[in-house]
Amino acid sequence: MNGKEELDALKEVFDSEEQVATDVVVLSYADEEKAEEHLIKKLIDKAKKRANVIAYNSQLKVGSIIEVREEANGYFGEMNIGDVYLQLARNKMGIGTDYTGSINKTFIVKFSIQ
């Protein structure tokens, strides 16, 4: 959606459906780089916790990180029910048939073991 007018129009379309109630929330970060940095730190911390569980159950110890790699998984074509409602609303508004999906990224964190 581009702008408040399109968001308001989308809300009107959803609200016109009998079984749908909507709230429009727009979230943006004041500093996207800082937010991404924070997220990556959390992901690495989570990877370390999981590595410790695996190591403990394998009678090993986790050492230092030897590699961190990011891979973009790209577009996933599967649509959930929210995507279906969004597409119906877009069609009613005359916006087009641009189907939605998700962009996912995979972080691979490799640790040394002892």
Side-chain angles (χ1 to χ4, degrees), residues 13-63:
V13 170
F14 278 132
D15 286 342
S16 70
E17 297 293 325
E18 214 173 282
Q19 298 123 345
V20 179
T22 60
D23 286 315
V24 177
V25 177
V26 178
L27 172 67
S28 61
Y29 295 100
D31 185 343
E32 284 191 39
E33 282 187 34
K34 189 173 181 179
E36 186 173 332
E37 183 181 313
H38 178 71
L39 177 60
I40 291 169
K41 181 189 179 316
K42 286 179 73 172
L43 291 171
I44 290 173
D45 289 345
K46 187 174 184 178
K48 179 123 185 165
K49 287 178 185 176
R50 286 186 177 184
N52 280 319
V53 169
I54 293 168
Y56 176 80
N57 288 298
S58 303
Q59 299 174 348
L60 299 167
K61 290 185 181 179
V62 174

mmCIF file of all heavy atoms in Angstrom, residues 13-63:
data_model
loop_
_atom_site.group_PDB
_atom_site.id
_atom_site.type_symbol
_atom_site.label_atom_id
_atom_site.label_comp_id
_atom_site.label_asym_id
_atom_site.label_seq_id
_atom_site.Cartn_x
_atom_site.Cartn_y
_atom_site.Cartn_z
ATOM 1 N N VAL A 13 -13.032 -1.363 2.333
ATOM 2 C CA VAL A 13 -13.421 -2.581 1.607
ATOM 3 C C VAL A 13 -13.573 -3.741 2.581
ATOM 4 O O VAL A 13 -14.556 -4.484 2.542
ATOM 5 C CB VAL A 13 -12.395 -2.924 0.508
ATOM 6 C CG1 VAL A 13 -12.663 -4.300 -0.078
ATOM 7 C CG2 VAL A 13 -12.413 -1.866 -0.585
ATOM 8 N N PHE A 14 -12.612 -3.901 3.477
ATOM 9 C CA PHE A 14 -12.703 -4.985 4.455
ATOM 10 C C PHE A 14 -13.909 -4.805 5.366
ATOM 11 O O PHE A 14 -14.618 -5.759 5.664
ATOM 12 C CB PHE A 14 -11.427 -5.074 5.302
ATOM 13 C CG PHE A 14 -10.308 -5.822 4.631
ATOM 14 C CD1 PHE A 14 -9.039 -5.280 4.594
ATOM 15 C CD2 PHE A 14 -10.515 -7.067 4.068
ATOM 16 C CE1 PHE A 14 -7.998 -5.960 3.987
ATOM 17 C CE2 PHE A 14 -9.483 -7.767 3.462
ATOM 18 C CZ PHE A 14 -8.218 -7.207 3.420
ATOM 19 N N ASP A 15 -14.115 -3.589 5.838
ATOM 20 C CA ASP A 15 -15.222 -3.323 6.753
ATOM 21 C C ASP A 15 -16.578 -3.557 6.097
ATOM 22 O O ASP A 15 -17.574 -3.789 6.785
ATOM 23 C CB ASP A 15 -15.147 -1.895 7.305
ATOM 24 C CG ASP A 15 -14.048 -1.740 8.350
ATOM 25 O OD1 ASP A 15 -13.589 -2.770 8.889
ATOM 26 O OD2 ASP A 15 -13.653 -0.593 8.616
ATOM 27 N N SER A 16 -16.645 -3.514 4.765
ATOM 28 C CA SER A 16 -17.912 -3.748 4.079
ATOM 29 C C SER A 16 -18.277 -5.230 4.051
ATOM 30 O O SER A 16 -19.415 -5.584 3.774
ATOM 31 C CB SER A 16 -17.856 -3.202 2.648
ATOM 32 O OG SER A 16 -16.980 -3.987 1.849
ATOM 33 N N GLU A 17 -17.327 -6.093 4.369
ATOM 34 C CA GLU A 17 -17.601 -7.532 4.432
ATOM 35 C C GLU A 17 -18.208 -7.863 5.787
ATOM 36 O O GLU A 17 -17.753 -7.376 6.815
ATOM 37 C CB GLU A 17 -16.307 -8.335 4.224
ATOM 38 C CG GLU A 17 -15.665 -8.131 2.871
ATOM 39 C CD GLU A 17 -16.507 -8.681 1.728
ATOM 40 O OE1 GLU A 17 -17.174 -9.714 1.916
ATOM 41 O OE2 GLU A 17 -16.495 -8.070 0.656
ATOM 42 N N GLU A 18 -19.225 -8.704 5.780
ATOM 43 C CA GLU A 18 -19.968 -9.009 6.998
ATOM 44 C C GLU A 18 -19.124 -9.712 8.055
ATOM 45 O O GLU A 18 -19.246 -9.439 9.239
ATOM 46 C CB GLU A 18 -21.168 -9.900 6.637
ATOM 47 C CG GLU A 18 -22.377 -9.642 7.494
ATOM 48 C CD GLU A 18 -23.554 -10.429 6.976
ATOM 49 O OE1 GLU A 18 -24.154 -10.000 5.965
ATOM 50 O OE2 GLU A 18 -23.852 -11.467 7.574
ATOM 51 N N GLN A 19 -18.246 -10.615 7.648
ATOM 52 C CA GLN A 19 -17.512 -11.427 8.614
ATOM 53 C C GLN A 19 -16.128 -10.871 8.940
ATOM 54 O O GLN A 19 -15.333 -11.537 9.587
ATOM 55 C CB GLN A 19 -17.334 -12.851 8.069
ATOM 56 C CG GLN A 19 -18.643 -13.559 7.842
ATOM 57 C CD GLN A 19 -18.793 -14.019 6.397
ATOM 58 O OE1 GLN A 19 -18.066 -13.593 5.528
ATOM 59 N NE2 GLN A 19 -19.764 -14.876 6.160
ATOM 60 N N VAL A 20 -15.837 -9.667 8.516
ATOM 61 C CA VAL A 20 -14.487 -9.127 8.674
ATOM 62 C C VAL A 20 -14.513 -7.854 9.512
ATOM 63 O O VAL A 20 -15.337 -6.979 9.301
ATOM 64 C CB VAL A 20 -13.853 -8.820 7.291
ATOM 65 C CG1 VAL A 20 -12.472 -8.236 7.458
ATOM 66 C CG2 VAL A 20 -13.815 -10.069 6.424
ATOM 67 N N ALA A 21 -13.608 -7.782 10.470
ATOM 68 C CA ALA A 21 -13.379 -6.550 11.238
ATOM 69 C C ALA A 21 -11.910 -6.197 11.038
ATOM 70 O O ALA A 21 -11.057 -7.075 11.018
ATOM 71 C CB ALA A 21 -13.682 -6.765 12.712
ATOM 72 N N THR A 22 -11.608 -4.927 10.875
ATOM 73 C CA THR A 22 -10.227 -4.552 10.569
ATOM 74 C C THR A 22 -9.690 -3.493 11.501
ATOM 75 O O THR A 22 -10.428 -2.675 12.042
ATOM 76 C CB THR A 22 -10.109 -4.003 9.132
ATOM 77 O OG1 THR A 22 -10.943 -2.865 9.012
ATOM 78 C CG2 THR A 22 -10.484 -5.020 8.093
ATOM 79 N N ASP A 23 -8.400 -3.531 11.660
ATOM 80 C CA ASP A 23 -7.608 -2.474 12.268
ATOM 81 C C ASP A 23 -6.424 -2.277 11.346
ATOM 82 O O ASP A 23 -5.814 -3.252 10.896
ATOM 83 C CB ASP A 23 -7.092 -2.871 13.658
ATOM 84 C CG ASP A 23 -8.190 -2.857 14.704
ATOM 85 O OD1 ASP A 23 -8.961 -1.887 14.724
ATOM 86 O OD2 ASP A 23 -8.261 -3.821 15.485
ATOM 87 N N VAL A 24 -6.099 -1.050 11.037
ATOM 88 C CA VAL A 24 -4.953 -0.769 10.191
ATOM 89 C C VAL A 24 -3.844 -0.246 11.083
ATOM 90 O O VAL A 24 -4.013 0.739 11.790
ATOM 91 C CB VAL A 24 -5.292 0.256 9.085
ATOM 92 C CG1 VAL A 24 -4.054 0.585 8.277
ATOM 93 C CG2 VAL A 24 -6.404 -0.285 8.193
ATOM 94 N N VAL A 25 -2.718 -0.957 11.046
ATOM 95 C CA VAL A 25 -1.567 -0.570 11.850
ATOM 96 C C VAL A 25 -0.375 -0.454 10.912
ATOM 97 O O VAL A 25 -0.116 -1.338 10.111
ATOM 98 C CB VAL A 25 -1.268 -1.623 12.936
ATOM 99 C CG1 VAL A 25 -0.027 -1.254 13.706
ATOM 100 C CG2 VAL A 25 -2.458 -1.778 13.863
ATOM 101 N N VAL A 26 0.336 0.640 11.011
ATOM 102 C CA VAL A 26 1.542 0.836 10.211
ATOM 103 C C VAL A 26 2.713 0.907 11.168
ATOM 104 O O VAL A 26 2.737 1.730 12.076
ATOM 105 C CB VAL A 26 1.458 2.124 9.363
ATOM 106 C CG1 VAL A 26 2.743 2.328 8.579
ATOM 107 C CG2 VAL A 26 0.251 2.065 8.444
ATOM 108 N N LEU A 27 3.660 0.020 10.969
ATOM 109 C CA LEU A 27 4.843 -0.039 11.816
ATOM 110 C C LEU A 27 6.056 0.311 10.967
ATOM 111 O O LEU A 27 6.253 -0.261 9.899
ATOM 112 C CB LEU A 27 5.006 -1.438 12.398
ATOM 113 C CG LEU A 27 6.296 -1.723 13.159
ATOM 114 C CD1 LEU A 27 6.340 -0.896 14.435
ATOM 115 C CD2 LEU A 27 6.410 -3.194 13.476
ATOM 116 N N SER A 28 6.823 1.259 11.426
ATOM 117 C CA SER A 28 8.079 1.554 10.745
ATOM 118 C C SER A 28 9.124 1.848 11.803
ATOM 119 O O SER A 28 8.804 2.285 12.915
ATOM 120 C CB SER A 28 7.937 2.735 9.782
ATOM 121 O OG SER A 28 7.572 3.895 10.503
ATOM 122 N N TYR A 29 10.347 1.585 11.483
ATOM 123 C CA TYR A 29 11.436 1.794 12.422
ATOM 124 C C TYR A 29 12.085 3.153 12.174
ATOM 125 O O TYR A 29 12.278 3.548 11.026
ATOM 126 C CB TYR A 29 12.491 0.694 12.279
ATOM 127 C CG TYR A 29 11.961 -0.665 12.653
ATOM 128 C CD1 TYR A 29 11.561 -1.575 11.688
ATOM 129 C CD2 TYR A 29 11.845 -1.027 13.982
ATOM 130 C CE1 TYR A 29 11.067 -2.817 12.041
ATOM 131 C CE2 TYR A 29 11.356 -2.263 14.351
ATOM 132 C CZ TYR A 29 10.974 -3.153 13.378
ATOM 133 O OH TYR A 29 10.484 -4.376 13.727
ATOM 134 N N ALA A 30 12.441 3.834 13.243
ATOM 135 C CA ALA A 30 13.117 5.125 13.112
ATOM 136 C C ALA A 30 14.479 4.926 12.468
ATOM 137 O O ALA A 30 14.921 5.748 11.677
ATOM 138 C CB ALA A 30 13.255 5.786 14.480
ATOM 139 N N ASP A 31 15.141 3.828 12.783
ATOM 140 C CA ASP A 31 16.460 3.518 12.228
ATOM 141 C C ASP A 31 16.454 2.050 11.822
ATOM 142 O O ASP A 31 16.674 1.161 12.646
ATOM 143 C CB ASP A 31 17.542 3.803 13.275
ATOM 144 C CG ASP A 31 18.949 3.618 12.742
ATOM 145 O OD1 ASP A 31 19.130 2.968 11.686
ATOM 146 O OD2 ASP A 31 19.881 4.122 13.395
ATOM 147 N N GLU A 32 16.183 1.784 10.543
ATOM 148 C CA GLU A 32 16.060 0.408 10.063
ATOM 149 C C GLU A 32 17.351 -0.377 10.226
ATOM 150 O O GLU A 32 17.310 -1.557 10.553
ATOM 151 C CB GLU A 32 15.609 0.386 8.600
ATOM 152 C CG GLU A 32 14.134 0.685 8.443
ATOM 153 C CD GLU A 32 13.630 0.412 7.036
ATOM 154 O OE1 GLU A 32 14.065 -0.589 6.429
ATOM 155 O OE2 GLU A 32 12.811 1.213 6.561
ATOM 156 N N GLU A 33 18.496 0.260 10.003
ATOM 157 C CA GLU A 33 19.776 -0.444 10.145
ATOM 158 C C GLU A 33 19.982 -0.913 11.575
ATOM 159 O O GLU A 33 20.420 -2.038 11.812
ATOM 160 C CB GLU A 33 20.937 0.439 9.704
ATOM 161 C CG GLU A 33 21.082 0.520 8.208
ATOM 162 C CD GLU A 33 22.339 1.272 7.790
ATOM 163 O OE1 GLU A 33 23.364 1.181 8.486
ATOM 164 O OE2 GLU A 33 22.263 1.947 6.754
ATOM 165 N N LYS A 34 19.668 -0.047 12.530
ATOM 166 C CA LYS A 34 19.816 -0.407 13.939
ATOM 167 C C LYS A 34 18.844 -1.539 14.297
ATOM 168 O O LYS A 34 19.201 -2.465 15.025
ATOM 169 C CB LYS A 34 19.571 0.812 14.824
ATOM 170 C CG LYS A 34 19.906 0.593 16.273
ATOM 171 C CD LYS A 34 19.801 1.889 17.064
ATOM 172 C CE LYS A 34 20.168 1.650 18.520
ATOM 173 N NZ LYS A 34 20.098 2.874 19.304
ATOM 174 N N ALA A 35 17.618 -1.481 13.784
ATOM 175 C CA ALA A 35 16.632 -2.529 14.045
ATOM 176 C C ALA A 35 17.094 -3.862 13.460
ATOM 177 O O ALA A 35 16.974 -4.905 14.102
ATOM 178 C CB ALA A 35 15.275 -2.128 13.462
ATOM 179 N N GLU A 36 17.640 -3.833 12.247
ATOM 180 C CA GLU A 36 18.138 -5.058 11.618
ATOM 181 C C GLU A 36 19.328 -5.613 12.398
ATOM 182 O O GLU A 36 19.438 -6.820 12.600
ATOM 183 C CB GLU A 36 18.526 -4.803 10.165
ATOM 184 C CG GLU A 36 18.920 -6.072 9.437
ATOM 185 C CD GLU A 36 19.154 -5.869 7.958
ATOM 186 O OE1 GLU A 36 18.542 -4.954 7.368
ATOM 187 O OE2 GLU A 36 19.964 -6.626 7.401
ATOM 188 N N GLU A 37 20.207 -4.733 12.836
ATOM 189 C CA GLU A 37 21.356 -5.150 13.638
ATOM 190 C C GLU A 37 20.889 -5.852 14.917
ATOM 191 O O GLU A 37 21.420 -6.898 15.303
ATOM 192 C CB GLU A 37 22.210 -3.928 13.982
ATOM 193 C CG GLU A 37 23.466 -4.216 14.757
ATOM 194 C CD GLU A 37 24.234 -2.932 15.063
ATOM 195 O OE1 GLU A 37 24.410 -2.118 14.139
ATOM 196 O OE2 GLU A 37 24.645 -2.763 16.225
ATOM 197 N N HIS A 38 19.884 -5.284 15.567
ATOM 198 C CA HIS A 38 19.325 -5.873 16.784
ATOM 199 C C HIS A 38 18.726 -7.257 16.485
ATOM 200 O O HIS A 38 18.919 -8.215 17.243
ATOM 201 C CB HIS A 38 18.261 -4.940 17.371
ATOM 202 C CG HIS A 38 17.598 -5.457 18.587
ATOM 203 N ND1 HIS A 38 18.234 -5.548 19.807
ATOM 204 C CD2 HIS A 38 16.336 -5.925 18.784
ATOM 205 C CE1 HIS A 38 17.396 -6.048 20.702
ATOM 206 N NE2 HIS A 38 16.240 -6.285 20.107
ATOM 207 N N LEU A 39 17.994 -7.369 15.372
ATOM 208 C CA LEU A 39 17.383 -8.637 14.990
ATOM 209 C C LEU A 39 18.452 -9.698 14.716
ATOM 210 O O LEU A 39 18.331 -10.840 15.168
ATOM 211 C CB LEU A 39 16.502 -8.447 13.757
ATOM 212 C CG LEU A 39 15.859 -9.722 13.201
ATOM 213 C CD1 LEU A 39 14.954 -10.376 14.240
ATOM 214 C CD2 LEU A 39 15.077 -9.401 11.944
ATOM 215 N N ILE A 40 19.498 -9.336 13.996
ATOM 216 C CA ILE A 40 20.564 -10.292 13.685
ATOM 217 C C ILE A 40 21.236 -10.774 14.964
ATOM 218 O O ILE A 40 21.518 -11.964 15.121
ATOM 219 C CB ILE A 40 21.572 -9.687 12.691
ATOM 220 C CG1 ILE A 40 20.894 -9.525 11.321
ATOM 221 C CG2 ILE A 40 22.825 -10.542 12.587
ATOM 222 C CD1 ILE A 40 21.682 -8.715 10.319
ATOM 223 N N LYS A 41 21.461 -9.861 15.912
ATOM 224 C CA LYS A 41 22.054 -10.253 17.196
ATOM 225 C C LYS A 41 21.155 -11.270 17.905
ATOM 226 O O LYS A 41 21.631 -12.284 18.429
ATOM 227 C CB LYS A 41 22.285 -9.038 18.088
ATOM 228 C CG LYS A 41 22.920 -9.379 19.428
ATOM 229 C CD LYS A 41 22.947 -8.201 20.368
ATOM 230 C CE LYS A 41 23.541 -8.518 21.705
ATOM 231 N NZ LYS A 41 23.136 -9.757 22.326
ATOM 232 N N LYS A 42 19.843 -11.018 17.901
ATOM 233 C CA LYS A 42 18.905 -11.950 18.532
ATOM 234 C C LYS A 42 18.929 -13.314 17.831
ATOM 235 O O LYS A 42 18.871 -14.356 18.494
ATOM 236 C CB LYS A 42 17.487 -11.382 18.512
ATOM 237 C CG LYS A 42 17.257 -10.264 19.516
ATOM 238 C CD LYS A 42 15.852 -9.717 19.449
ATOM 239 C CE LYS A 42 14.886 -10.708 20.035
ATOM 240 N NZ LYS A 42 13.523 -10.158 20.178
ATOM 241 N N LEU A 43 19.016 -13.308 16.512
ATOM 242 C CA LEU A 43 19.051 -14.564 15.770
ATOM 243 C C LEU A 43 20.310 -15.367 16.091
ATOM 244 O O LEU A 43 20.264 -16.592 16.259
ATOM 245 C CB LEU A 43 18.961 -14.305 14.261
ATOM 246 C CG LEU A 43 17.626 -13.783 13.756
ATOM 247 C CD1 LEU A 43 17.739 -13.359 12.299
ATOM 248 C CD2 LEU A 43 16.546 -14.838 13.914
ATOM 249 N N ILE A 44 21.441 -14.677 16.196
ATOM 250 C CA ILE A 44 22.696 -15.364 16.524
ATOM 251 C C ILE A 44 22.644 -15.898 17.951
ATOM 252 O O ILE A 44 23.078 -17.031 18.220
ATOM 253 C CB ILE A 44 23.908 -14.437 16.285
ATOM 254 C CG1 ILE A 44 24.078 -14.220 14.771
ATOM 255 C CG2 ILE A 44 25.178 -15.010 16.901
ATOM 256 C CD1 ILE A 44 25.119 -13.198 14.389
ATOM 257 N N ASP A 45 22.084 -15.124 18.884
ATOM 258 C CA ASP A 45 21.930 -15.603 20.267
ATOM 259 C C ASP A 45 21.045 -16.852 20.307
ATOM 260 O O ASP A 45 21.336 -17.812 21.021
ATOM 261 C CB ASP A 45 21.330 -14.517 21.158
ATOM 262 C CG ASP A 45 22.289 -13.366 21.436
ATOM 263 O OD1 ASP A 45 23.504 -13.517 21.184
ATOM 264 O OD2 ASP A 45 21.814 -12.307 21.906
ATOM 265 N N LYS A 46 19.970 -16.848 19.533
ATOM 266 C CA LYS A 46 19.071 -18.002 19.486
ATOM 267 C C LYS A 46 19.793 -19.213 18.890
ATOM 268 O O LYS A 46 19.636 -20.336 19.378
ATOM 269 C CB LYS A 46 17.827 -17.658 18.662
ATOM 270 C CG LYS A 46 16.761 -18.712 18.680
ATOM 271 C CD LYS A 46 15.510 -18.219 17.960
ATOM 272 C CE LYS A 46 14.400 -19.240 18.055
ATOM 273 N NZ LYS A 46 13.177 -18.768 17.403
ATOM 274 N N ALA A 47 20.594 -18.989 17.849
ATOM 275 C CA ALA A 47 21.361 -20.076 17.232
ATOM 276 C C ALA A 47 22.338 -20.666 18.244
ATOM 277 O O ALA A 47 22.519 -21.889 18.304
ATOM 278 C CB ALA A 47 22.097 -19.569 15.996
ATOM 279 N N LYS A 48 22.964 -19.807 19.043
ATOM 280 C CA LYS A 48 23.917 -20.285 20.052
ATOM 281 C C LYS A 48 23.202 -21.153 21.092
ATOM 282 O O LYS A 48 23.707 -22.198 21.495
ATOM 283 C CB LYS A 48 24.614 -19.113 20.727
ATOM 284 C CG LYS A 48 25.585 -19.524 21.802
ATOM 285 C CD LYS A 48 26.948 -19.007 21.526
ATOM 286 C CE LYS A 48 27.913 -19.547 22.577
ATOM 287 N NZ LYS A 48 29.258 -19.385 22.192
ATOM 288 N N LYS A 49 22.008 -20.742 21.527
ATOM 289 C CA LYS A 49 21.239 -21.540 22.489
ATOM 290 C C LYS A 49 20.901 -22.912 21.909
ATOM 291 O O LYS A 49 21.029 -23.935 22.581
ATOM 292 C CB LYS A 49 19.960 -20.811 22.903
ATOM 293 C CG LYS A 49 20.197 -19.637 23.822
ATOM 294 C CD LYS A 49 18.901 -18.928 24.154
ATOM 295 C CE LYS A 49 19.175 -17.671 24.976
ATOM 296 N NZ LYS A 49 17.957 -16.904 25.231
ATOM 297 N N ARG A 50 20.477 -22.941 20.666
ATOM 298 C CA ARG A 50 20.141 -24.216 20.021
ATOM 299 C C ARG A 50 21.383 -25.080 19.857
ATOM 300 O O ARG A 50 21.337 -26.293 20.057
ATOM 301 C CB ARG A 50 19.476 -23.975 18.673
ATOM 302 C CG ARG A 50 18.070 -23.483 18.811
ATOM 303 C CD ARG A 50 17.391 -23.393 17.479
ATOM 304 N NE ARG A 50 16.002 -22.987 17.660
ATOM 305 C CZ ARG A 50 15.137 -22.901 16.690
ATOM 306 N NH1 ARG A 50 15.497 -23.196 15.459
ATOM 307 N NH2 ARG A 50 13.904 -22.528 16.929
ATOM 308 N N ALA A 51 22.489 -24.459 19.483
ATOM 309 C CA ALA A 51 23.744 -25.203 19.332
ATOM 310 C C ALA A 51 24.164 -25.816 20.659
ATOM 311 O O ALA A 51 24.652 -26.955 20.701
ATOM 312 C CB ALA A 51 24.838 -24.282 18.787
ATOM 313 N N ASN A 52 23.968 -25.091 21.750
ATOM 314 C CA ASN A 52 24.310 -25.613 23.072
ATOM 315 C C ASN A 52 23.462 -26.836 23.430
ATOM 316 O O ASN A 52 23.964 -27.791 24.020
ATOM 317 C CB ASN A 52 24.177 -24.534 24.149
ATOM 318 C CG ASN A 52 25.372 -23.612 24.178
ATOM 319 O OD1 ASN A 52 26.515 -24.044 24.050
ATOM 320 N ND2 ASN A 52 25.125 -22.325 24.341
ATOM 321 N N VAL A 53 22.188 -26.808 23.085
ATOM 322 C CA VAL A 53 21.315 -27.962 23.351
ATOM 323 C C VAL A 53 21.786 -29.166 22.550
ATOM 324 O O VAL A 53 21.905 -30.284 23.077
ATOM 325 C CB VAL A 53 19.838 -27.625 23.030
ATOM 326 C CG1 VAL A 53 18.970 -28.876 23.053
ATOM 327 C CG2 VAL A 53 19.311 -26.587 23.994
ATOM 328 N N ILE A 54 22.074 -28.945 21.273
ATOM 329 C CA ILE A 54 22.540 -30.038 20.418
ATOM 330 C C ILE A 54 23.879 -30.573 20.935
ATOM 331 O O ILE A 54 24.078 -31.788 21.040
ATOM 332 C CB ILE A 54 22.660 -29.571 18.947
ATOM 333 C CG1 ILE A 54 21.268 -29.277 18.385
ATOM 334 C CG2 ILE A 54 23.381 -30.625 18.107
ATOM 335 C CD1 ILE A 54 21.276 -28.543 17.054
ATOM 336 N N ALA A 55 24.790 -29.670 21.269
ATOM 337 C CA ALA A 55 26.108 -30.081 21.758
ATOM 338 C C ALA A 55 25.988 -30.861 23.066
ATOM 339 O O ALA A 55 26.614 -31.911 23.237
ATOM 340 C CB ALA A 55 26.996 -28.860 21.945
ATOM 341 N N TYR A 56 25.185 -30.355 23.992
ATOM 342 C CA TYR A 56 25.007 -31.025 25.288
ATOM 343 C C TYR A 56 24.505 -32.459 25.097
ATOM 344 O O TYR A 56 25.003 -33.398 25.710
ATOM 345 C CB TYR A 56 24.032 -30.228 26.161
ATOM 346 C CG TYR A 56 23.729 -30.906 27.470
ATOM 347 C CD1 TYR A 56 24.625 -30.821 28.538
ATOM 348 C CD2 TYR A 56 22.558 -31.643 27.635
ATOM 349 C CE1 TYR A 56 24.350 -31.456 29.750
ATOM 350 C CE2 TYR A 56 22.277 -32.275 28.834
ATOM 351 C CZ TYR A 56 23.171 -32.185 29.888
ATOM 352 O OH TYR A 56 22.899 -32.816 31.077
ATOM 353 N N ASN A 57 23.514 -32.612 24.222
ATOM 354 C CA ASN A 57 22.950 -33.939 23.975
ATOM 355 C C ASN A 57 23.860 -34.824 23.132
ATOM 356 O O ASN A 57 23.626 -36.023 23.022
ATOM 357 C CB ASN A 57 21.571 -33.814 23.324
ATOM 358 C CG ASN A 57 20.547 -33.323 24.317
ATOM 359 O OD1 ASN A 57 20.286 -33.982 25.313
ATOM 360 N ND2 ASN A 57 20.004 -32.144 24.075
ATOM 361 N N SER A 58 24.897 -34.243 22.567
ATOM 362 C CA SER A 58 25.895 -34.994 21.798
ATOM 363 C C SER A 58 27.189 -35.150 22.587
ATOM 364 O O SER A 58 28.191 -35.602 22.041
ATOM 365 C CB SER A 58 26.188 -34.281 20.475
ATOM 366 O OG SER A 58 25.015 -34.105 19.731
ATOM 367 N N GLN A 59 27.168 -34.714 23.833
ATOM 368 C CA GLN A 59 28.335 -34.748 24.723
ATOM 369 C C GLN A 59 29.514 -33.961 24.143
ATOM 370 O O GLN A 59 30.654 -34.373 24.190
ATOM 371 C CB GLN A 59 28.730 -36.198 25.045
ATOM 372 C CG GLN A 59 27.618 -36.935 25.754
ATOM 373 C CD GLN A 59 27.899 -38.402 25.956
ATOM 374 O OE1 GLN A 59 28.821 -38.954 25.391
ATOM 375 N NE2 GLN A 59 27.077 -39.031 26.778
ATOM 376 N N LEU A 60 29.194 -32.785 23.581
ATOM 377 C CA LEU A 60 30.195 -31.886 23.011
ATOM 378 C C LEU A 60 30.036 -30.515 23.653
ATOM 379 O O LEU A 60 29.085 -30.273 24.383
ATOM 380 C CB LEU A 60 30.026 -31.778 21.494
ATOM 381 C CG LEU A 60 30.175 -33.069 20.698
ATOM 382 C CD1 LEU A 60 29.669 -32.871 19.278
ATOM 383 C CD2 LEU A 60 31.623 -33.532 20.700
ATOM 384 N N LYS A 61 30.956 -29.616 23.348
ATOM 385 C CA LYS A 61 30.861 -28.235 23.806
ATOM 386 C C LYS A 61 30.934 -27.320 22.595
ATOM 387 O O LYS A 61 31.710 -27.534 21.674
ATOM 388 C CB LYS A 61 31.995 -27.890 24.768
ATOM 389 C CG LYS A 61 31.877 -28.580 26.103
ATOM 390 C CD LYS A 61 32.961 -28.116 27.045
ATOM 391 C CE LYS A 61 32.824 -28.841 28.377
ATOM 392 N NZ LYS A 61 33.865 -28.452 29.311
ATOM 393 N N VAL A 62 30.111 -26.263 22.633
ATOM 394 C CA VAL A 62 30.089 -25.288 21.543
ATOM 395 C C VAL A 62 31.258 -24.330 21.712
ATOM 396 O O VAL A 62 31.488 -23.796 22.792
ATOM 397 C CB VAL A 62 28.760 -24.502 21.529
ATOM 398 C CG1 VAL A 62 28.787 -23.398 20.491
ATOM 399 C CG2 VAL A 62 27.591 -25.439 21.276
ATOM 400 N N GLY A 63 31.969 -24.123 20.631
ATOM 401 C CA GLY A 63 33.067 -23.166 20.634
ATOM 402 C C GLY A 63 32.629 -21.841 20.026
ATOM 403 O O GLY A 63 31.465 -21.455 20.102
#
